Amino acid sequence: MDRAPKLNLVGLSKADYAAAPSTLCKGCGHNSVAAQLIQVAYELNLKPQDVIKLSGIGCSSKSPAYFLGQSHGFNSLHGRMPSLGTGALQANHSVRAIGISGDGDTGSIGLGQFKHMLRRNVRMVYIVENNGVYGLTKGQFSATADLGQSLKYAGTNPFPPIDICLEALAAGAGFVARAFAGDAKQVREVIKAGLSFRGTAVIDIISPCVAFNDEPDSTKSYAYGREHQRALQEIGFFPAQEEIVVADYGPGEMQVVELHDGSRMTLRKLEADYEPSDPTRAITRLRQADLAGELLTGVLYYDASRPSLAEASELPATPLSMLPDDTLRPSRETLSDLLAGYA
Amino acid sequence: MAIDTLVRPDAGAQAGAKVNDFSIAVATANGTGSQTANLTLLRSFFKMGIPVHGKNIFPSNIQGQPTWYHIRVSKDGFVARRPPELLVAFNRDTMHQDVAMLEAGGVCVYNSDLRLNEGRSDLTYYPVPVKELLAGVDVKGKIKEYIANMTYVGVVAHLLGVPLDVIEGALEHHFGKRQKLVDSNFEVVRLAYDWAVANVAKADPYRVEPMNATEGLILMTGNEAGALGAVYGGVSVSGWYPITPSTSFIDALRDFLAKLRHDEDGRPTYSVVQAEDELAAIGMVVGAGWAGARALTATSGPGLSLMAEFLSLAYYAEVPAVVWDIQRVGPSTGLPTRTSQGDVGFAYTIGHGDTKHVLLFPSSIEECFEFGYLAHDLADTLQTPVLVLSDLDLGMNNWMGKPFDYPERPLQRGKVLSAEEVAALGDWGRYKDVDGDGIAYRTLPGNPNPAAAWFGRGTGHDEMARYSESPTDWEQNMARLARKFDTARTLVPGPAIEEEPGAQLAIVAYGTTRYAIEEARAQLAAAGVATSFMRVRALPIGDEVRDFVARHEDLVLIEMNRDAQLTAILRDELPEFAARIRPIAHLDGMPLTAAWVLERLMPFLPEEARRLMEGA
Ligand SMILES: Cc1ncc(C[n+]2csc(CCOP(=O)(O)OP(=O)(O)O)c2C)c(N)n1
Ligand code: SF4
Ligand SMILES: [Mg+2]
């Protein structure tokens, strides 16, 4: 007899968070991110019905079909997920949104929408599965490709890369993190923290493309990621309902960040003076790491002070999409009163 | 608009007087506050019960450039553009050209500080010493410039016979509770009026007399009416990007929403987001529509082209969305402040891969209001984008209309399944055509039933919304979408038809060209030439349009674009009648006049009818 699967607090097994089997290449970094999203949703006891999945276009953007099959999802247009998400979340701010994009989708065609979404602070976890290449169209350079990098199809790249995290910082994002798809634990912890953030949580996940950009000298390859990853913090995430265990960490080496919903993120500072609340510092560290050929990972910036778009719009608790008809259509009297002013 | 009950002005009026039937052009510089003066005149005629319509003819500039305002005063209720008999020449830069445009017998009221040379002996001139009149008025700088335009209001009021209290009432309407502004403006009107009474000898035949033909009517712009209709249609989300002539639609929408849509705690039950471009504006609308809120955007040609990809996706993923396209002329900046019907062909099939969209063609403020809520009912019912094709002339100008009827039909939210309904169905599939009308059942994010989830996408999908590259799935899905479009034919507003027995010609048109056509038809009828008229109000066409075309062998289709875009669509949809639909297509940026319509109809009239017209 099979053993009954383990259920989480909302009575779901891990399998309940699965979806259609992935059609992406074996070994693609995007698959590991999808797997971690399933794990995170299971561990956080998310109800799939309370989640929406959004994406643009690309191999990365296909992946919402491969996790949380019981959640509504929309695989939209190349580079346009931010606007679709903005409208969807203004219509229904009660759902948690997970957005999956690619470096082409965000850094090239969608750079404008990306930055404007950040200005507005639309509440969603915005994951860029960054492989430095256009996977789906078979190997062209993306805007995050390394300067001087050579690819079989695309030749040598003469342009410097756009750094997704720097762009996010410049646009005023309140949550900016980077992770490496090969580091499952870190990916999970960062996503968990991002889900608690009330605003856009940008997570740039270096997610190697094994088909077109996995040369060891590419900063978006597995080999490079493993060798050059330098984590800023060791992250521990504690959901609101879980007891927080802090005994392991020595004082002065860790920092507990309280998130919007009462859950906490513990950052174990590997650099004694790294402050995730200082955007200038974050920018400097990103630049330094780049020059040193390091892959800086962790929560680079965290500032929860800015309201989300739904909060700034002062939307009522009931989502606009669920308002009853008599709220939607003003009364008969209001119309005649109003028209009297035009007579 | 047609006036049902007309009280004719006093029949005992002096011989040769032209009462309640003329056009005025006011020429001023942009940004000098002339809008207030012009609207005051417009509303004064309206308050006197005389049918009236005002058109802004303005260039794409903010300040200093020439601008014209045309007021049509018509006892018979005709509101099409008509070359003016009266001119108010208050702009130095254009005054010579403005005077040259007047027909013999015309009237020119001008600012005498501008030193116009009264070179034409076939006109009546009334110089107004504006500086001198304002010398005693205690206001400074910019305000003085603004208020200077009130001088022509006073002089015109005297010349035409508009009572001063009517002018004051119009100013009160304009400024609302800002009594100080009413007073300062009215002071100038009175000054000029009194000066005119004392110094101007009336030497022209034009004047007004009270009627009661505007009783119970309202005066509003099409953009205001459309926005108001949308509010009564429950619109809750809007993403938009500024572009003339659609901006005032969103301005009105925001005003009306702020007035009408709050919960008990005073929180707005709507969200209007100014997007970074039209790509994002329509993205927000499609996102909100997918999530279950009624959403719209308003734009014009250049913005519409940026929306192509999302409209195509919304058609194929079957997401409701409403787009108001307030048409202007041309690409890029084109003629951004001129009117057109140039987006019809583009809008009908905007997208890629066999897209076809529902289009609505409002022609009046009543229809703007009605289509304002109807567009959302149709978008929800059909789960598809609906584009309302208005135009600059309708959208930005003030039109008379009947007070809008409150929508009697409840909101039509279409086939949306609750958690329980999904459970009861058991084998629900997002794209299954259960009812045979091509419209499948959808669920919204947040539906608590785990089986309610579906994955929206532009990629090929089967009935269960699963990814599919199967040729059969694609073809069947596209066939269902075509079936859904056939259902749309039965749901969209049918044409407005006026069929005359023994008609010599049938005229087909849509939108605001109706006004010039209706006036031309009245002139034809007066000469004994009967015509029939069908005003198409929506695409796709249904049986009524088809049958009208089938019944008439001689048809002309009048539209404001170069390539006869609706003609092409009708010929395509009704190939068996293609040859009988003959276009009169024209676009120069100006609204049509009845005289132009008549002239262009002539060659299409039978010999005998032409003779009757020539005799008339
Ligand atoms: C408007 C538009 N232009 C181009 C494409 C073709 N296209 C599909 S995916 C893609 C690039 C995706 O790259 P990226 O976002 O990095 O995703 P990846 O496949 O690498 O995960 C392009 C150019 C498209 N789908 N839509
Ligand atoms: S092509 Fe690259 S990005 Fe696309 S699925 Fe394969 S490995 Fe992943
Ligand atoms: Mg990529």
Side-chain angles (χ1 to χ4, degrees):
Chain A
M1 210 182 82
D2 286 342
R3 254 197 332 148
K6 231 179 114 191
L7 302 183
N8 65 7
L9 291 180
V10 289
L12 298 179
S13 71
K14 225 179 109 176
D16 292 325
Y17 294 94
S22 170
T23 59
L24 302 179
C25 302
K26 254 209 175 71
C28 173
H30 306 348
N31 283 330
S32 356
V33 178
Q36 296 321 314
L37 278 161
I38 291 173
Q39 184 67 30
V40 162
Y42 171 74
E43 287 176 13
L44 287 182
N45 304 300
L46 294 184
K47 281 197 196 139
Q49 308 89 268
D50 296 340
V51 176
I52 59 172
K53 308 168 294 180
L54 306 168
S55 62
I57 295 290
C59 294
S60 34
S61 292
K62 281 183 169 189
S63 65
Y66 313 139
F67 62 86
L68 270 61
Q70 295 180 16
S71 299
H72 274 78
F74 206 140
N75 178 194
S76 68
L77 295 177
H78 200 19
R80 314 296 174 213
M81 180 248 287
S83 62
L84 187 98
T86 303
L89 289 160
Q90 286 300 86
N92 187 347
H93 59 72
S94 72
V95 291
R96 304 278 185 87
I98 299 172
I100 307 289
S101 178
D103 42 310
D105 196 63
T106 290
S108 301
I109 194 169
L111 193 58
Q113 292 216 344
F114 174 62
K115 300 196 73 157
H116 285 278
M117 169 192 61
L118 294 177
R119 281 179 65 226
R120 298 188 185 105
N121 206 22
V122 177
R123 183 175 181 181
M124 77 159 103
V125 173
Y126 189 97
I127 295 172
V128 182
E129 297 179 348
N130 188 348
N131 53 16
V133 74
Y134 288 0
L136 194 58
T137 50
K138 301 198 182 304
Q140 300 82 4
F141 286 122
S142 87
T144 68
D146 301 323
L147 173 66
Q149 189 193 350
S150 291
L151 285 181
K152 217 185 285 145
Y153 170 90
T156 303
N157 175 29
F159 307 118
I162 279 178
D163 185 312
I164 300 287
C165 292
L166 280 175
E167 294 300 331
L169 284 162
F175 186 111
V176 182
R178 176 168 285 154
F180 172 53
D183 185 345
K185 177 171 177 292
Q186 188 190 38
V187 167
R188 282 198 302 275
E189 303 296 275
V190 169
I191 293 174
K192 284 181 186 175
L195 277 165
S196 292
F197 184 71
R198 246 187 329 247
T200 319
V202 177
I203 306 177
D204 181 25
I205 301 182
I206 306 305
S207 175
C209 169
V210 293
F212 301 111
N213 190 13
D214 200 27
E215 313 292 325
D217 63 332
S218 160
T219 60
K220 312 292 187 297
S221 69
Y222 278 119
Y224 191 95
R226 261 184 231 109
E227 273 163 38
H228 297 79
Q229 187 190 186
R230 172 154 175 196
L232 277 179
Q233 317 98 339
E234 204 173 278
I235 306 164
F237 176 84
F238 304 95
Q241 55 270 56
E242 257 180 47
E243 204 184 315
I244 297 162
V245 188
V246 289
D248 285 1
Y249 296 88
E253 287 188 320
M254 50 164 275
Q255 181 181 355
V256 178
V257 180
E258 179 139 354
L259 299 165
H260 287 111
D261 57 1
S263 55
R264 290 174 196 209
M265 173 171 66
T266 310
L267 305 174
R268 185 183 174 91
K269 292 195 222 171
L270 294 183
E271 291 178 5
D273 57 349
Y274 190 78
E275 267 289 331
S277 59
D278 178 355
T280 322
R281 177 103 186 106
I283 290 170
T284 312
R285 289 294 290 116
L286 277 167
R287 284 274 184 230
Q288 284 169 344
D290 187 31
L291 289 175
E294 286 176 1
L295 189 62
L296 200 61
T297 61
V299 177
L300 296 156
Y301 183 62
Y302 181 82
D303 169 18
S305 61
R306 216 153 56 87
S308 71
L309 176 62
E311 288 165 343
S313 316
E314 301 186 326
L315 293 179
T318 309
L320 301 182
S321 65
M322 296 181 186
L323 293 173
D325 287 4
D326 59 353
T327 304
L328 292 176
R329 171 171 287 167
S331 71
R332 193 178 289 270
E333 296 70 51
T334 57
L335 181 61
S336 39
D337 287 355
L338 205 133
L339 291 178
Y342 290 85
Chain B
M1 64 159 295
I3 300 294
D4 304 331
T5 48
L6 273 186
V7 172
R8 298 280 160 191
D10 182 8
Q14 69 202 78
K18 295 196 172 142
V19 181
N20 295 353
D21 189 16
F22 52 83
S23 230
I24 310 177
V26 179
T28 52
N30 220 348
T32 57
S34 52
Q35 188 70 350
T36 306
N38 299 333
L39 289 176
T40 300
L41 280 175
L42 181 78
R43 190 160 291 277
S44 297
F45 299 133
F46 182 71
K47 279 187 181 294
M48 290 180 73
I50 311 163
V52 73
H53 166 62
K55 281 192 201 305
N56 255 310
I57 313 279
F58 61 110
S60 175
N61 285 297
I62 304 299
Q63 215 180 7
Q65 296 300 307
T67 181
W68 294 266
Y69 193 73
H70 285 214
I71 298 176
R72 172 90 192 259
V73 175
S74 165
K75 59 180 169 26
D76 301 313
F78 294 124
V79 290
R81 182 170 71 88
R82 177 164 106 170
E85 289 91 352
L86 287 83
L87 168 72
V88 173
F90 264 49
N91 184 359
R92 187 194 306 271
D93 295 343
T94 60
M95 59 188 184
H96 291 106
Q97 163 199 336
D98 292 336
V99 169
M101 160 206 83
L102 284 172
E103 302 264 341
V107 175
C108 173
V109 175
Y110 70 96
N111 178 349
S112 60
D113 306 329
L114 304 183
R115 298 182 201 292
L116 175 75
N117 119 46
E118 295 187 6
R120 280 181 61 179
S121 57
D122 57 348
L123 302 180
T124 306
Y125 290 94
Y126 299 111
V128 182
V130 175
K131 254 206 197 103
E132 192 187 312
L133 280 173
L134 289 178
V137 181
D138 184 27
V139 287
K140 283 175 196 72
K142 192 89 197 142
I143 310 227
K144 198 150 208 165
E145 197 184 315
Y146 268 67
I147 237 164
N149 289 309
M150 283 296 149
T151 55
Y152 67 71
V153 175
V155 173
V156 168
H158 164 65
L159 287 172
L160 295 176
V162 182
L164 269 186
D165 61 324
V166 173
I167 302 270
E168 191 174 18
L171 281 169
E172 275 161 4
H173 184 104
H174 187 86
F175 289 116
K177 292 196 175 71
R178 291 169 294 172
Q179 189 59 38
K180 262 211 182 108
L181 287 172
V182 176
D183 293 345
S184 54
N185 280 278
F186 187 58
E187 185 193 345
V188 179
V189 175
R190 185 200 295 277
L191 256 174
Y193 186 91
D194 291 346
W195 169 85
V197 169
N199 299 286
V200 176
K202 169 97 172 160
D204 69 87
Y206 299 100
R207 55 189 189 77
V208 291
E209 276 179 17
M211 295 172 69
N212 67 357
T214 65
E215 209 173 299
L217 299 185
I218 58 170
L219 203 53
M220 198 186 251
T221 66
N223 281 350
E224 289 171 302
L228 191 62
V231 172
Y232 283 85
V235 70
S236 301
V237 174
S238 175
W240 69 289
Y241 191 74
I243 181 168
T244 305
S246 73
T247 307
S248 64
F249 186 100
I250 299 292
D251 291 342
L253 181 74
R254 292 168 64 186
D255 282 354
F256 291 136
L257 284 169
K259 275 199 189 95
L260 298 167
R261 285 280 300 272
H262 285 279
D263 69 2
E264 314 80 62
D265 307 324
R267 286 174 175 267
T269 54
Y270 62 89
S271 164
V272 179
V273 180
Q274 184 183 324
E276 58 271 30
D277 54 32
E278 288 87 350
L279 300 168
I282 186 68
M284 291 174 194
V285 169
V286 173
W290 170 72
R294 291 194 153 182
L296 70 73
T297 187
T299 189
S300 196
L304 187 66
S305 53
L306 292 188
M307 297 181 182
E309 196 184 11
F310 254 121
L311 285 172
S312 195
L313 175 68
Y315 170 84
Y316 186 66
E318 300 181 60
V319 180
V322 171
V323 178
W324 278 77
D325 175 19
I326 317 299
Q327 296 167 92
R328 66 186 215 185
V329 181
S332 170
T333 325
L335 300 175
T337 57
R338 302 302 159 115
T339 198
S340 105
Q341 295 180 324
D343 294 346
V344 177
F346 179 53
Y348 192 42
T349 57
I350 182 171
H352 29 270
D354 289 330
T355 44
K356 272 189 176 179
H357 299 293
V358 173
L359 307 188
L360 303 181
F361 303 119
S363 71
S364 63
I365 56 172
E366 292 98 323
E367 279 179 346
C368 283
F369 180 81
E370 185 191 343
F371 294 178
Y373 59 84
L374 188 65
H376 290 282
D377 282 351
L378 288 169
D380 272 0
T381 302
L382 293 161
Q383 302 173 16
T384 199
V386 171
L387 290 87
V388 189
L389 266 63
S390 178
D391 63 31
L392 180 141
D393 189 20
L394 178 57
M396 290 189 72
N397 291 320
N398 272 293
W399 300 82
M400 291 181 304
K402 295 210 178 77
F404 309 139
D405 294 327
Y406 189 76
E408 293 303 336
R409 212 169 49 150
L411 301 179
Q412 306 289 298
R413 299 308 306 261
K415 300 179 185 178
V416 180
L417 297 176
S418 66
E420 299 71 36
E421 288 165 335
V422 172
L425 275 176
D427 65 341
W428 168 72
R430 169 66 185 96
Y431 295 115
K432 268 192 193 165
D433 186 6
V434 181
D435 305 323
D437 56 3
I439 308 169
Y441 288 80
R442 67 177 183 136
T443 61
L444 305 179
N447 185 316
N449 190 329
W454 61 281
F455 196 67
R457 45 161 52 113
T459 40
H461 46 251
D462 63 13
E463 288 185 329
M464 305 304 286
R466 285 177 306 223
Y467 184 85
S468 168
E469 292 186 25
S470 140
T472 330
D473 281 341
W474 183 269
E475 205 167 13
Q476 282 179 355
N477 195 38
M478 294 309 285
R480 181 180 56 78
L481 286 171
R483 207 149 62 232
K484 185 164 90 166
F485 206 61
D486 284 337
T487 301
R489 295 177 196 281
T490 66
L491 299 177
V492 299
I497 293 178
E498 284 172 44
E499 217 159 331
E500 298 295 331
Q504 314 255 20
L505 184 69
I507 304 168
V508 182
Y510 55 101
T512 49
T513 54
R514 70 178 281 190
Y515 299 107
I517 294 168
E518 281 164 358
E519 191 175 346
R521 286 186 64 223
Q523 291 176 28
L524 285 164
V529 181
T531 55
S532 289
F533 184 36
M534 172 171 72
R535 186 164 56 78
V536 176
R537 303 202 304 159
L539 285 177
I541 57 164
D543 288 346
E544 287 173 273
V545 171
R546 189 193 179 282
D547 293 348
F548 182 91
V549 173
R551 281 196 303 275
H552 295 85
E553 267 167 47
D554 263 335
L555 284 144
V556 292
L557 199 160
I558 301 179
E559 52 187 320
M560 283 194 298
N561 49 60
R562 186 194 63 188
D563 291 341
Q565 298 177 14
L566 188 69
T567 305
I569 291 169
L570 291 192
R571 281 175 170 173
D572 188 50
E573 299 234 343
L574 304 169
E576 66 274 40
F577 304 122
R580 62 170 67 169
I581 309 171
R582 295 162 302 170
I584 298 182
H586 159 86
L587 178 69
D588 62 5
M590 299 295 274
L592 303 185
T593 62
W596 182 88
V597 171
L598 270 181
E599 184 193 315
R600 297 297 297 267
L601 282 179
M602 276 307 193
F604 293 95
L605 291 171
E607 184 66 37
E608 171 207 332
R610 248 180 299 176
R611 260 201 309 275
L612 280 172
M613 276 313 286
E614 272 146 23

